[in-house]
Amino acid sequence: MQLTSAFTLLASLVSVVVAHEGHDHDMQMPLDYVKFPYQAAYPGDNEVTADSIFSGITTFAKLPWVKCLGKERNEPFDIAFIGAPFDTGTSYRPGARFGPAGIRAGSRRLTLYGGYNVPLAVNPFMSGLKMVDCGDIPVTPYDNKYAIQQIEDGHKELLHRPTFSPLGNDTLTGKPLVPISADGKHHPRIITLGGDHTIVLPLLRSIYSAYGAISVIHFDSHLDTWKPEVFGGAPSQQAAINHGTYFYWASQEGLISNGSSIASIHGAIRTTLSGPADYANDDASGFQRIEAREIDTIGTAGIIKKIRETVGDRPVYLSIDIDSIDPAFAPATGTPETGGWSTRELRTILRGLDGLHIVSADIVEVAPAYDTNAELTTMAAADVLYEVVSVMAKTPLGKIIVD
Protein backbone atom coordinates (compact mmCIF):
# COMPACT_ATOMS: atom_id res chain seq x y z
CA MET A 1 0.00 0.00 0.00
CA GLN A 2 2.82 2.40 0.86
CA LEU A 3 4.55 1.74 -2.48
CA THR A 4 1.28 2.31 -4.37
CA SER A 5 0.67 5.57 -2.49
CA ALA A 6 4.20 6.73 -3.24
CA PHE A 7 3.77 6.07 -6.98
CA THR A 8 0.41 7.87 -6.93
CA LEU A 9 1.95 10.93 -5.23
CA LEU A 10 4.90 10.93 -7.66
CA ALA A 11 2.56 10.76 -10.64
CA SER A 12 0.59 13.72 -9.30
CA LEU A 13 3.73 15.79 -8.83
CA VAL A 14 4.94 14.99 -12.35
CA SER A 15 1.61 16.04 -13.84
CA VAL A 16 1.74 19.34 -11.92
CA VAL A 17 5.29 20.07 -13.13
CA VAL A 18 4.43 19.21 -16.73
CA ALA A 19 1.33 21.39 -16.57
CA HIS A 20 3.37 24.25 -15.09
CA GLU A 21 6.07 23.96 -17.75
CA GLY A 22 3.45 24.11 -20.48
CA HIS A 23 1.74 27.13 -18.95
CA ASP A 24 2.20 30.59 -20.51
CA HIS A 25 3.18 32.95 -17.71
CA ASP A 26 2.02 35.91 -19.78
CA MET A 27 -1.51 34.51 -19.68
CA GLN A 28 -1.64 34.63 -15.89
CA MET A 29 -3.95 37.42 -14.74
CA PRO A 30 -3.36 39.09 -11.35
CA LEU A 31 -6.42 39.68 -9.22
CA ASP A 32 -8.58 42.51 -10.62
CA TYR A 33 -6.38 42.78 -13.75
CA VAL A 34 -8.05 44.10 -16.88
CA LYS A 35 -6.39 44.39 -20.27
CA PHE A 36 -8.42 47.14 -21.86
CA PRO A 37 -9.93 50.35 -20.42
CA TYR A 38 -13.46 49.50 -21.50
CA GLN A 39 -13.23 46.44 -19.24
CA ALA A 40 -12.14 48.51 -16.21
CA ALA A 41 -14.48 48.46 -13.25
CA TYR A 42 -14.71 52.22 -12.77
CA PRO A 43 -18.06 53.10 -11.22
CA GLY A 44 -20.23 55.56 -13.08
CA ASP A 45 -22.81 58.00 -11.78
CA ASN A 46 -24.80 56.51 -8.91
CA GLU A 47 -23.06 53.12 -9.15
CA VAL A 48 -21.32 51.09 -6.43
CA THR A 49 -18.07 52.63 -5.14
CA ALA A 50 -15.55 51.93 -2.35
CA ASP A 51 -15.38 48.23 -3.17
CA SER A 52 -11.98 46.59 -2.47
CA ILE A 53 -10.02 49.43 -4.05
CA PHE A 54 -6.90 48.19 -2.24
CA SER A 55 -6.88 44.80 -4.00
CA GLY A 56 -5.20 43.80 -7.22
CA ILE A 57 -1.98 44.75 -8.97
CA THR A 58 -0.79 48.29 -8.23
CA THR A 59 -0.99 50.35 -11.39
CA PHE A 60 -1.67 54.08 -11.53
CA ALA A 61 -5.31 54.54 -10.50
CA LYS A 62 -5.93 50.84 -11.24
CA LEU A 63 -5.47 51.44 -14.96
CA PRO A 64 -4.85 48.43 -17.20
CA TRP A 65 -1.21 47.31 -17.27
CA VAL A 66 0.14 47.07 -20.81
CA LYS A 67 3.67 45.96 -21.71
CA CYS A 68 4.09 48.96 -24.02
CA LEU A 69 7.85 48.48 -24.46
CA GLY A 70 7.61 44.70 -24.64
CA LYS A 71 5.33 42.16 -26.30
CA GLU A 72 2.43 44.65 -26.47
CA ARG A 73 4.45 47.34 -28.23
CA ASN A 74 1.81 47.63 -30.94
CA GLU A 75 -1.00 48.40 -28.49
CA PRO A 76 -2.48 51.89 -29.20
CA PHE A 77 -3.56 54.25 -26.43
CA ASP A 78 -4.46 57.90 -25.85
CA ILE A 79 -2.76 58.56 -22.51
CA ALA A 80 0.00 56.40 -21.04
CA PHE A 81 1.67 56.50 -17.64
CA ILE A 82 5.32 55.42 -17.70
CA GLY A 83 7.90 55.30 -14.91
CA ALA A 84 11.48 56.59 -15.22
CA PRO A 85 13.21 55.26 -12.07
CA PHE A 86 16.37 57.39 -12.30
CA ASP A 87 17.94 59.32 -9.41
CA THR A 88 21.68 59.49 -10.07
CA GLY A 89 21.53 63.14 -11.11
CA THR A 90 20.40 64.46 -7.74
CA SER A 91 22.51 66.78 -5.60
CA TYR A 92 21.17 66.11 -2.10
CA ARG A 93 18.93 63.20 -1.12
CA PRO A 94 18.66 60.22 -3.51
CA GLY A 95 15.73 57.81 -3.60
CA ALA A 96 13.52 59.06 -6.45
CA ARG A 97 14.20 55.84 -8.35
CA PHE A 98 11.45 54.46 -6.13
CA GLY A 99 9.15 57.35 -7.05
CA PRO A 100 7.16 55.52 -9.75
CA ALA A 101 6.28 52.67 -7.39
CA GLY A 102 5.41 55.10 -4.60
CA ILE A 103 3.20 57.27 -6.79
CA ARG A 104 1.31 54.22 -8.02
CA ALA A 105 0.74 53.13 -4.42
CA GLY A 106 -0.48 56.63 -3.58
CA SER A 107 -2.93 56.49 -6.49
CA ARG A 108 -4.81 53.39 -5.39
CA ARG A 109 -7.55 55.45 -3.76
CA LEU A 110 -8.06 57.84 -6.69
CA THR A 111 -11.12 55.94 -7.86
CA LEU A 112 -12.31 54.92 -4.38
CA TYR A 113 -15.47 56.98 -4.79
CA GLY A 114 -15.64 56.83 -8.57
CA GLY A 115 -13.11 59.27 -10.08
CA TYR A 116 -15.46 62.12 -11.01
CA ASN A 117 -13.63 65.45 -10.74
CA VAL A 118 -16.20 67.86 -9.33
CA PRO A 119 -14.45 71.22 -10.00
CA LEU A 120 -13.60 70.24 -13.60
CA ALA A 121 -16.89 68.36 -14.17
CA VAL A 122 -15.22 65.34 -15.76
CA ASN A 123 -14.37 61.74 -14.94
CA PRO A 124 -11.10 61.35 -16.85
CA PHE A 125 -11.19 57.57 -16.51
CA MET A 126 -14.59 57.39 -18.20
CA SER A 127 -14.02 60.12 -20.78
CA GLY A 128 -13.75 57.71 -23.70
CA LEU A 129 -9.97 57.94 -23.88
CA LYS A 130 -7.91 54.78 -23.64
CA MET A 131 -5.56 55.17 -20.67
CA VAL A 132 -2.94 52.60 -19.71
CA ASP A 133 -0.06 52.10 -17.30
CA CYS A 134 3.00 51.01 -19.27
CA GLY A 135 5.14 50.12 -16.26
CA ASP A 136 8.68 51.53 -16.17
CA ILE A 137 11.37 52.28 -18.70
CA PRO A 138 14.30 49.96 -17.84
CA VAL A 139 16.93 52.42 -16.59
CA THR A 140 20.48 51.47 -15.62
CA PRO A 141 21.76 52.89 -12.31
CA TYR A 142 25.41 52.57 -13.41
CA ASP A 143 25.82 54.91 -16.37
CA ASN A 144 24.01 58.26 -16.51
CA LYS A 145 24.71 58.84 -20.19
CA TYR A 146 23.28 55.46 -21.11
CA ALA A 147 20.32 55.89 -18.74
CA ILE A 148 19.41 59.27 -20.23
CA GLN A 149 19.42 57.71 -23.69
CA GLN A 150 17.23 54.85 -22.44
CA ILE A 151 14.68 57.36 -21.13
CA GLU A 152 14.63 59.32 -24.39
CA ASP A 153 14.26 56.18 -26.49
CA GLY A 154 11.51 54.72 -24.30
CA HIS A 155 9.51 57.94 -24.21
CA LYS A 156 9.92 58.52 -27.94
CA GLU A 157 8.72 55.02 -28.77
CA LEU A 158 5.50 55.68 -26.83
CA LEU A 159 5.06 59.23 -28.13
CA HIS A 160 5.11 58.05 -31.74
CA ARG A 161 2.65 55.23 -31.13
CA PRO A 162 -0.68 55.64 -33.00
CA THR A 163 -3.51 56.88 -30.82
CA PHE A 164 -6.49 54.72 -29.98
CA SER A 165 -9.01 57.53 -30.51
CA PRO A 166 -9.25 59.92 -33.47
CA LEU A 167 -9.19 63.68 -32.92
CA GLY A 168 -12.78 64.09 -34.04
CA ASN A 169 -14.52 67.42 -34.54
CA ASP A 170 -14.54 70.71 -32.67
CA THR A 171 -17.45 70.74 -30.22
CA LEU A 172 -18.39 74.36 -30.97
CA THR A 173 -18.07 74.61 -34.76
CA GLY A 174 -18.39 70.96 -35.75
CA LYS A 175 -15.35 71.33 -37.98
CA PRO A 176 -12.74 68.54 -38.03
CA LEU A 177 -9.73 69.01 -35.80
CA VAL A 178 -6.20 68.78 -37.16
CA PRO A 179 -3.14 67.92 -35.02
CA ILE A 180 -1.21 70.72 -33.32
CA SER A 181 2.10 68.87 -33.58
CA ALA A 182 4.97 70.09 -35.77
CA ASP A 183 5.05 66.83 -37.71
CA GLY A 184 1.33 66.93 -38.48
CA LYS A 185 0.54 63.68 -36.67
CA HIS A 186 -1.85 63.01 -33.81
CA HIS A 187 0.27 61.80 -30.90
CA PRO A 188 -0.77 60.19 -27.62
CA ARG A 189 0.08 61.90 -24.34
CA ILE A 190 2.72 60.49 -22.05
CA ILE A 191 2.71 61.15 -18.29
CA THR A 192 6.07 60.24 -16.78
CA LEU A 193 6.56 59.25 -13.14
CA GLY A 194 10.05 60.24 -11.98
CA GLY A 195 12.75 59.87 -11.06
CA ASP A 196 14.80 62.99 -10.36
CA HIS A 197 14.37 66.06 -12.52
CA THR A 198 17.29 65.19 -14.81
CA ILE A 199 14.85 63.01 -16.74
CA VAL A 200 13.19 66.07 -18.28
CA LEU A 201 16.13 66.64 -20.65
CA PRO A 202 15.61 63.31 -22.47
CA LEU A 203 11.84 63.81 -22.26
CA LEU A 204 12.08 67.20 -23.98
CA ARG A 205 14.37 65.70 -26.61
CA SER A 206 11.60 63.20 -27.29
CA ILE A 207 8.90 65.90 -27.32
CA TYR A 208 10.97 67.92 -29.81
CA SER A 209 10.79 65.04 -32.29
CA ALA A 210 7.01 65.58 -32.55
CA TYR A 211 6.35 69.19 -31.55
CA GLY A 212 9.59 71.08 -32.14
CA ALA A 213 10.60 73.71 -29.58
CA ILE A 214 7.89 73.89 -26.95
CA SER A 215 6.73 76.15 -24.11
CA VAL A 216 7.16 74.66 -20.65
CA ILE A 217 5.15 75.19 -17.49
CA HIS A 218 7.47 74.24 -14.66
CA PHE A 219 6.35 73.98 -11.01
CA ASP A 220 9.39 73.77 -8.75
CA SER A 221 11.05 75.49 -5.83
CA HIS A 222 14.28 75.68 -7.89
CA LEU A 223 15.17 77.22 -11.24
CA ASP A 224 16.96 74.20 -12.74
CA THR A 225 18.47 76.46 -15.43
CA TRP A 226 21.82 76.83 -13.68
CA LYS A 227 24.98 76.83 -15.73
CA PRO A 228 26.91 73.60 -15.15
CA GLU A 229 29.99 75.46 -13.97
CA VAL A 230 27.81 77.02 -11.25
CA PHE A 231 25.67 74.04 -10.23
CA GLY A 232 28.07 71.25 -9.35
CA GLY A 233 31.09 72.70 -11.14
CA ALA A 234 30.89 70.25 -14.07
CA PRO A 235 33.86 68.04 -13.06
CA SER A 236 33.09 65.90 -16.13
CA GLN A 237 30.99 66.14 -19.26
CA GLN A 238 28.38 63.80 -17.85
CA ALA A 239 28.35 65.40 -14.39
CA ALA A 240 27.40 68.65 -16.12
CA ILE A 241 23.95 67.16 -16.78
CA ASN A 242 22.01 66.87 -13.54
CA HIS A 243 18.76 67.86 -11.88
CA GLY A 244 19.85 71.50 -11.57
CA THR A 245 21.10 72.03 -15.12
CA TYR A 246 18.79 70.08 -17.45
CA PHE A 247 16.81 73.19 -18.49
CA TYR A 248 20.06 74.98 -19.29
CA TRP A 249 20.96 72.19 -21.68
CA ALA A 250 17.42 72.04 -23.08
CA SER A 251 17.65 75.74 -23.86
CA GLN A 252 21.09 75.34 -25.41
CA GLU A 253 19.77 72.51 -27.62
CA GLY A 254 16.80 74.60 -28.78
CA LEU A 255 14.21 72.32 -27.20
CA ILE A 256 12.40 75.16 -25.38
CA SER A 257 10.51 78.03 -26.99
CA ASN A 258 12.49 81.21 -26.36
CA GLY A 259 11.50 84.56 -27.80
CA SER A 260 9.90 87.90 -27.09
CA SER A 261 6.36 86.56 -27.57
CA ILE A 262 6.98 82.88 -26.82
CA ALA A 263 8.16 81.89 -23.37
CA SER A 264 8.12 79.29 -20.65
CA ILE A 265 7.39 79.89 -16.98
CA HIS A 266 8.36 78.64 -13.53
CA GLY A 267 5.94 78.53 -10.61
CA ALA A 268 6.55 78.20 -6.83
CA ILE A 269 10.18 79.40 -7.01
CA ARG A 270 11.78 80.06 -3.62
CA THR A 271 15.35 78.87 -3.97
CA THR A 272 18.47 80.63 -2.78
CA LEU A 273 20.88 81.71 -5.52
CA SER A 274 24.58 82.08 -6.12
CA GLY A 275 23.59 85.66 -6.92
CA PRO A 276 21.52 87.81 -9.33
CA ALA A 277 23.43 86.25 -12.25
CA ASP A 278 21.35 83.10 -11.79
CA TYR A 279 18.19 85.04 -12.66
CA ALA A 280 19.89 86.64 -15.66
CA ASN A 281 20.81 83.17 -16.89
CA ASP A 282 17.24 82.01 -16.27
CA ASP A 283 15.96 84.90 -18.40
CA ALA A 284 18.34 83.93 -21.19
CA SER A 285 17.05 80.36 -21.02
CA GLY A 286 13.58 81.57 -21.95
CA PHE A 287 11.77 81.47 -18.61
CA GLN A 288 9.58 83.88 -16.70
CA ARG A 289 9.16 83.32 -12.96
CA ILE A 290 6.41 83.23 -10.37
CA GLU A 291 7.84 83.29 -6.87
CA ALA A 292 6.11 81.11 -4.28
CA ARG A 293 5.50 84.14 -2.06
CA GLU A 294 3.43 85.84 -4.79
CA ILE A 295 0.49 83.69 -3.80
CA ASP A 296 0.14 85.92 -0.72
CA THR A 297 -0.49 88.99 -2.89
CA ILE A 298 -2.08 87.84 -6.17
CA GLY A 299 -3.56 84.53 -5.01
CA THR A 300 -4.11 81.44 -7.11
CA ALA A 301 -6.20 83.39 -9.63
CA GLY A 302 -3.32 85.80 -10.27
CA ILE A 303 -0.88 82.94 -10.70
CA ILE A 304 -3.16 81.17 -13.18
CA LYS A 305 -3.53 84.43 -15.13
CA LYS A 306 0.25 84.86 -15.39
CA ILE A 307 0.73 81.31 -16.62
CA ARG A 308 -1.99 81.51 -19.25
CA GLU A 309 -0.76 84.88 -20.53
CA THR A 310 2.76 83.47 -20.87
CA VAL A 311 2.04 80.26 -22.77
CA GLY A 312 -1.10 81.31 -24.63
CA ASP A 313 -2.80 78.64 -26.74
CA ARG A 314 0.41 77.03 -27.97
CA PRO A 315 1.35 73.42 -27.27
CA VAL A 316 2.84 73.19 -23.79
CA TYR A 317 4.78 70.64 -21.77
CA LEU A 318 4.06 70.44 -18.03
CA SER A 319 6.76 69.48 -15.52
CA ILE A 320 5.97 69.25 -11.81
CA ASP A 321 8.55 68.86 -9.07
CA ILE A 322 6.85 67.64 -5.92
CA ASP A 323 8.99 70.13 -3.96
CA SER A 324 6.82 72.92 -5.36
CA ILE A 325 4.54 71.81 -2.53
CA ASP A 326 5.66 72.80 0.96
CA PRO A 327 7.39 69.96 2.87
CA ALA A 328 4.65 70.22 5.50
CA PHE A 329 2.44 68.54 2.89
CA ALA A 330 5.04 66.65 0.80
CA PRO A 331 8.22 65.96 2.79
CA ALA A 332 9.53 63.04 0.73
CA THR A 333 11.68 64.79 -1.83
CA GLY A 334 15.33 65.19 -2.70
CA THR A 335 15.82 68.91 -2.03
CA PRO A 336 12.97 70.20 0.18
CA GLU A 337 12.41 73.95 0.59
CA THR A 338 10.06 75.49 3.15
CA GLY A 339 7.67 78.28 2.23
CA GLY A 340 5.98 76.44 -0.61
CA TRP A 341 2.41 76.08 -1.76
CA SER A 342 -0.07 73.75 -0.16
CA THR A 343 -1.38 70.71 -1.99
CA ARG A 344 -4.76 72.44 -2.30
CA GLU A 345 -3.20 75.56 -3.83
CA LEU A 346 -1.23 73.62 -6.44
CA ARG A 347 -4.30 71.56 -7.38
CA THR A 348 -6.32 74.76 -7.78
CA ILE A 349 -3.65 76.24 -10.05
CA LEU A 350 -3.52 73.06 -12.15
CA ARG A 351 -7.29 73.13 -12.61
CA GLY A 352 -6.82 76.70 -13.81
CA LEU A 353 -4.90 75.31 -16.80
CA ASP A 354 -8.14 73.85 -18.16
CA GLY A 355 -8.25 74.39 -21.92
CA LEU A 356 -4.50 74.52 -22.47
CA HIS A 357 -2.95 72.08 -24.96
CA ILE A 358 -0.80 70.06 -22.55
CA VAL A 359 0.94 67.59 -24.85
CA SER A 360 2.62 65.53 -22.11
CA ALA A 361 3.65 65.90 -18.49
CA ASP A 362 5.77 64.55 -15.66
CA ILE A 363 6.00 64.57 -11.89
CA VAL A 364 9.44 64.14 -10.36
CA GLU A 365 11.58 64.07 -7.22
CA VAL A 366 9.23 61.87 -5.18
CA ALA A 367 11.51 59.88 -2.85
CA PRO A 368 9.23 57.62 -0.78
CA ALA A 369 11.91 56.67 1.77
CA TYR A 370 11.52 60.12 3.37
CA ASP A 371 7.72 60.02 3.49
CA THR A 372 5.52 59.76 6.54
CA ASN A 373 3.78 56.55 7.51
CA ALA A 374 0.61 58.11 6.10
CA GLU A 375 2.19 58.34 2.61
CA LEU A 376 1.45 62.07 2.36
CA THR A 377 3.86 62.77 -0.49
CA THR A 378 2.92 59.89 -2.76
CA MET A 379 -0.77 60.66 -2.27
CA ALA A 380 -0.13 64.31 -3.09
CA ALA A 381 1.76 63.33 -6.25
CA ALA A 382 -1.07 61.04 -7.37
CA ASP A 383 -3.70 63.70 -6.68
CA VAL A 384 -1.71 66.28 -8.65
CA LEU A 385 -1.62 63.93 -11.65
CA TYR A 386 -5.35 63.35 -11.27
CA GLU A 387 -5.86 67.07 -11.92
CA VAL A 388 -3.46 66.93 -14.87
CA VAL A 389 -5.16 63.97 -16.54
CA SER A 390 -8.57 65.60 -15.95
CA VAL A 391 -7.42 68.72 -17.81
CA MET A 392 -6.00 66.56 -20.60
CA ALA A 393 -9.23 64.59 -20.95
CA LYS A 394 -11.19 67.79 -21.58
CA THR A 395 -8.96 69.28 -24.28
CA PRO A 396 -7.94 67.33 -27.41
CA LEU A 397 -4.60 68.05 -29.06
CA GLY A 398 -6.20 69.53 -32.14
CA LYS A 399 -7.16 72.83 -33.74
CA ILE A 400 -9.51 73.96 -36.46
CA ILE A 401 -8.27 75.46 -39.69
CA VAL A 402 -9.58 79.00 -40.11
CA ASP A 403 -10.81 79.59 -43.66
Side-chain angles (χ1 to χ4, degrees), residues 72 86-87 105 111 130 149 193 235 264 279 281 348 359 365:
E72 295 173 295
F86 172 95
D87 67 359
T111 57
K130 182 175 178 178
Q149 190 63 54
L193 314 177
S264 298
Y279 273 179
N281 179 65
T348 298
V359 301
E365 300 286 355

Side-chain angles (χ1 to χ4, degrees), residues 76-308:
F77 51 79
D78 298 310
I79 299 177
F81 290 81
I82 187 76
F86 172 95
D87 67 359
T88 47
T90 190
S91 58
Y92 190 48
R93 300 195 305 200
R97 68 182 62 180
F98 300 108
I103 296 167
R104 289 185 176 103
S107 75
R108 284 177 296 193
R109 34 157 288 288
L110 279 181
T111 57
L112 177 61
Y113 304 115
Y116 182 79
N117 190 318
V118 175
L120 287 174
V122 67
N123 186 332
F125 307 113
M126 299 185 70
S127 62
L129 298 177
K130 182 175 178 178
M131 301 186 194
V132 300
D133 188 329
C134 291
D136 293 348
I137 299 171
V139 178
T140 180
Y142 304 114
D143 185 328
N144 279 14
K145 182 178 180 179
Y146 189 77
I148 287 172
Q149 190 63 54
Q150 286 179 304
I151 294 168
E152 179 184 347
D153 292 345
H155 189 276
K156 190 179 294 182
E157 182 173 336
L158 299 183
L159 183 65
H160 289 272
R161 190 77 51 87
T163 60
F164 180 78
S165 305
L167 268 176
N169 297 329
D170 179 63
T171 55
L172 296 178
T173 66
K175 294 182 178 180
L177 294 171
V178 297
I180 61 172
S181 61
D183 64 5
K185 298 177 181 178
H186 180 36
H187 295 275
R189 287 155 156 149
I190 314 301
I191 299 177
T192 308
L193 314 177
D196 78 49
H197 227 147
T198 311
I199 70 170
V200 170
L201 179 58
L203 298 185
L204 288 177
R205 288 170 175 166
S206 171
I207 291 293
Y208 184 86
S209 70
Y211 294 93
I214 198 162
S215 292
V216 175
I217 300 172
H218 173 227
F219 293 109
D220 200 322
S221 61
H222 308 96
L223 299 173
D224 296 354
T225 54
W226 278 286
K227 293 180 178 180
E229 59 266 29
V230 173
F231 196 94
S236 69
Q237 185 176 10
Q238 192 53 49
I241 300 174
N242 56 59
H243 76 161
T245 65
Y246 62 92
F247 272 142
Y248 169 84
W249 291 113
S251 177
Q252 292 293 305
E253 294 179 19
L255 309 179
I256 300 174
S257 298
N258 189 351
S260 58
S261 61
I262 303 175
S264 298
I265 190 165
H266 306 294
I269 297 296
R270 56 193 187 277
T271 182
T272 56
L273 306 172
S274 70
D278 290 346
Y279 273 179
N281 179 65
D282 192 58
D283 294 340
S285 296
F287 279 90
Q288 297 185 25
R289 292 175 297 278
I290 300 173
E291 304 280 350
R293 63 179 181 272
E294 291 185 53
I295 202 166
D296 298 327
T297 53
I298 65 174
T300 56
I303 290 170
I304 293 166
K305 183 173 183 289
K306 276 192 171 186
I307 294 171
R308 298 185 74 99

